[in-house]
Amino acid sequence: NGMAKKEGKGNISIYIKQEDEMISCIVEDDGVGISEKKIADKGEKSLGMRITKDRIDIINKLKNSTASVHVSNTNKGVKAEVRLPLELSF
């Protein structure tokens, strides 16, 4: 949605890094951002965000971890960060 409304070409950057026993995936874009109304309206989250947060809660209970998901506006677009427990073997 944010990139579709942007004039001209857009950029999306993906960063993955290990921090202690967690893996962090950060996705940033230079789109039009999230409307301030949606950020302020915490009770009206998208279905995708609700499902993601529910899954994060399950992971935290099963793994006794501090996994998280956070989406915010930046000065040039949107940043989404997902932190999950690092699993090196299955």
Side-chain angles (χ1 to χ4, degrees):
N1 191 14
M3 295 302 278
K5 295 179 181 179
K6 179 180 174 69
E7 290 187 28
K9 292 184 179 182
N11 295 299
I12 297 175
S13 299
I14 300 171
Y15 308 95
I16 298 174
K17 61 184 176 178
Q18 180 180 346
E19 296 174 333
D20 299 320
E21 299 299 315
M22 302 291 282
I23 189 162
S24 180
C25 178
I26 299 168
V27 179
E28 294 179 318
D29 70 34
D30 62 350
V32 298
I34 303 170
S35 76
E36 294 301 321
K37 180 182 180 335
K38 284 187 180 181
I39 291 173
D41 228 352
K42 296 191 187 282
E44 194 176 314
K45 291 191 170 113
S46 73
L47 179 59
M49 282 302 293
R50 239 187 337 236
I51 290 169
T52 302
K53 287 189 182 261
D54 288 348
R55 289 180 179 174
I56 294 286
D57 289 343
I58 291 168
I59 290 169
N60 283 333
K61 287 177 185 169
L62 291 174
K63 300 286 186 180
N64 192 27
S65 65
T66 57
S68 63
V69 60
H70 183 71
V71 179
S72 61
N73 279 324
T74 65
N75 61 350
K76 58 182 178 177
V78 175
K79 175 181 178 180
E81 180 173 6
V82 178
R83 290 177 43 85
L84 298 169
L86 180 62
E87 294 284 335
L88 294 176
S89 60
F90 297 93

